[in-house]
Amino acid sequence: MPYQTYFEAASECLILVDREGLIVQSNAAAQRLFGYGPEELTGLPVEVLVPERFRSVHEKHRTAYMAAPRSRPMGLGLDLAARRKDGLEFAVEVSLTYAHREQEAFVICQVTDISERLVREREARKNETLRTLGSMAAGIAHDLNNPLAIILSRIELILADGAKLPDSLRADLEVVHHQAQRTSRIAQDLLSLARQRPRAFEPTDLNKVVEDALLLINGDMARKGIQVRSALDRHLPLVMGDPVALEQVLMNLLINAQEAMPNGGLVHIETEIHPDRPLYVRLTVADNGCGIGAETLPKVFDFFYTSKPNGSGLGLWLSRRIMHEHRGEIEVESEPGKGATFLLTLPVAG
Amino acid sequence: MHTILLVDDEADLVETYLRLLQGSGYRCLSAYDGRSAMALAEAEPAALLITDLNMPVMDGLDLTRWFRARWPEAAIIAMTAFHTPQTEQAAYAAGANTYLQKPFSNAELINAVQSFLAGSKTLL
């Protein structure tokens, strides 16, 4: 029978429901989507496919629909929640087709799982918001540069006339100068955030990223009495990543480590295959600096959160964002006075 | 005696840098837009142009191009509050010898000026 064959074989998830809301028939795609075996759904109220908290509302809607049935196409903006047999909930779009067969009325429900689409849409909206915020931030940061140039230059002029200044005024001006410089750094951080270029993912040797970052910062570390020890796994598989962005993350962590050890210390960098997840690699950056307090620890990756006197609250936030773009993670472990350890996890390429 | 022509639409900034440059012994002329700067330069050619890039009437890039064509031997310092890699590239392409991102320190400006006008200070 052609109808029956189509119903069974359709790649769309189809469920036939009678006037009382009982499932008369479901096809293989529906059984797969909702996690039921063949015939298992037949005779059950359609509400078994709805999360419990929505069932009574669904029943009312169904009764109202049956009183004045009509076909309802997809894409009416009705985002509904569905429930698998194992309890897992997912977002669906449902179209309804009203049909008669041998004096009896039925509704053919076509259910589409839209959870992936919703994730993509949410991601796109988030990126758009970030782009807008980025260009706003860039505009503000740029506008700050002229007044900052005037403030800094005037203070330097006044300070250069130092002989005539009382000590207390000189000290005050130095504080103002320092704070203006800090404002300028925050403006520059905002600009670098806004200038994030599109990522260029390629098979990347994480060890090379570490070596490149160390080349940039090793001299500075040595001057500040910080010893850097690295243990790089020479058999480390490649990761799919943007080497420039990953280096930016590593530089952020190394600069933070440096600032946590004003009197010198030790930074340990290690790459390895993740001990618990063989398809991931792990990069560890540990220092023995001042550490992070328990109250601060959960907030370190928050937007604009900073515990440093000169911080902008963007570095770790951006680092986490970059790691997420790589389908990776960044975590931190720390105790005050015992240093901080940042653990970066990235999936292996391919 | 060499003259520096300082151009920026921010009056407070012009006044600040005039004090800095004159205080360091340089003779300076100043303007708030590119067109007025052209008139000043025609009347009294400058050995060094220090110009902002974003200005009304005639912007710093056009002024830089004109100045470079008119006095190929002169030096030009371009400065901007609106730095992007493209702006920097455009400034050099227009003929700037060096490029400063605002805010910069007084010492940076004086060092740049000295590198172009070594030995040309006047005692005011």
Side-chain angles (χ1 to χ4, degrees), chain A residues 272-285:
Chain A
E272 60 189 332
I273 294 174
H274 197 291
D276 307 319
R277 299 161 77 184
L279 293 177
Y280 286 77
V281 297
R282 189 164 76 178
L283 168 64
T284 306
V285 180

Side-chain angles (χ1 to χ4, degrees), chain A residues 155-169:
Chain A
I155 297 171
E156 286 171 24
L157 275 177
I158 301 168
L159 286 171
D161 265 349
K164 301 172 203 158
L165 293 176
D167 285 349
S168 63
L169 181 58

Side-chain angles (χ1 to χ4, degrees), chain A residues 142 145-146 153-154 156 195, chain B residues 16-17 81-83 102 106:
Chain A
H142 272 141
N145 282 337
N146 265 327
S153 183
R154 278 289 167 101
E156 286 171 24
R195 261 190 237 124
Chain B
T16 310
Y17 290 159
F82 296 86
H83 164 74
K102 292 178 189 173
N106 289 354

Side-chain angles (χ1 to χ4, degrees), chain B residues 53-68:
Chain B
L53 292 178
N54 294 74
M55 291 186 296
V57 188
M58 178 190 196
D59 76 15
L61 278 180
D62 288 339
L63 176 64
T64 300
R65 272 188 283 272
W66 174 82
F67 196 86
R68 171 59 63 230

Side-chain angles (χ1 to χ4, degrees), chain A residues 67-306:
Chain A
R70 72 229 173 268
S71 289
R72 196 183 77 191
M74 291 277 186
L76 288 182
L78 292 170
D79 290 346
L80 304 171
R83 182 184 187 276
R84 281 172 54 89
K85 189 182 177 186
D86 58 14
L88 190 82
E89 292 185 16
F90 57 105
V92 292
E93 197 173 68
V94 180
S95 80
L96 303 176
T97 306
Y98 185 68
H100 282 87
R101 190 173 68 179
E102 296 159 11
Q103 307 295 315
E104 279 204 73
F106 296 92
V107 180
I108 304 166
C109 313
Q110 184 182 332
V111 183
T112 309
D113 180 354
I114 57 167
S115 25
E116 269 185 38
R117 194 186 83 199
L118 288 185
V119 169
R120 277 199 307 274
E121 284 173 1
R122 260 199 296 273
E123 196 59 30
R125 272 198 300 275
K126 201 169 110 192
N127 285 340
E128 184 53 39
T129 309
L130 283 172
R131 265 195 297 278
T132 311
L133 271 175
S135 50
M136 245 175 71
I140 295 168
H142 272 141
D143 284 341
L144 284 175
N145 282 337
N146 265 327
L148 281 170
I150 296 164
I151 293 167
L152 284 163
S153 183
R154 278 289 167 101
I155 297 171
E156 286 171 24
L157 275 177
I158 301 168
L159 286 171
D161 265 349
K164 301 172 203 158
L165 293 176
D167 285 349
S168 63
L169 181 58
R170 162 176 284 276
D172 286 346
L173 283 171
E174 276 166 0
V175 170
V176 177
H177 188 261
H178 176 71
Q179 294 304 323
Q181 278 181 319
R182 180 183 166 200
T183 312
S184 165
R185 272 196 300 275
I186 294 173
Q188 293 320 307
D189 276 358
L190 279 172
L191 277 173
S192 70
L193 178 73
R195 261 190 237 124
Q196 289 294 310
R197 59 196 176 75
R199 307 271 174 250
F201 289 90
E202 57 190 72
T204 298
D205 179 357
L206 204 54
N207 289 337
K208 174 85 170 38
V209 173
V210 173
E211 283 161 354
D212 287 349
L214 289 181
L215 265 183
L216 287 175
I217 204 168
N218 253 342
D220 206 29
M221 290 281 200
R223 269 191 298 282
K224 289 174 176 157
I226 298 168
Q227 201 187 343
V228 181
R229 280 192 204 146
S230 56
L232 307 181
D233 179 350
R234 289 294 155 203
H235 303 290
L236 196 73
L238 299 178
V239 296
M240 190 52 84
D242 179 332
V244 177
L246 291 174
E247 187 178 309
Q248 191 181 357
V249 173
L250 188 55
M251 287 300 286
N252 269 333
L253 297 181
L254 292 171
I255 289 166
N256 283 350
Q258 209 176 49
E259 288 173 354
M261 298 183 289
N263 303 314
L266 178 71
V267 174
H268 176 77
I269 304 179
E270 186 172 353
T271 57
E272 60 189 332
I273 294 174
H274 197 291
D276 307 319
R277 299 161 77 184
L279 293 177
Y280 286 77
V281 297
R282 189 164 76 178
L283 168 64
T284 306
V285 180
D287 66 63
N288 63 353
C290 59
I292 305 165
E295 277 187 18
T296 307
L297 203 59
K299 301 182 213 157
V300 293
F301 296 111
D302 288 357
F303 192 48
F304 275 131
Y305 179 80
T306 182

Side-chain angles (χ1 to χ4, degrees), chain A residues 149 152-153 156 177 181, chain B residues 17 20 100-111:
Chain A
L152 284 163
S153 183
E156 286 171 24
H177 188 261
Q181 278 181 319
Chain B
Y17 290 159
L20 172 67
L100 296 177
Q101 287 180 47
K102 292 178 189 173
F104 43 80
S105 69
N106 289 354
E108 267 179 275
L109 181 61
I110 290 298
N111 283 343

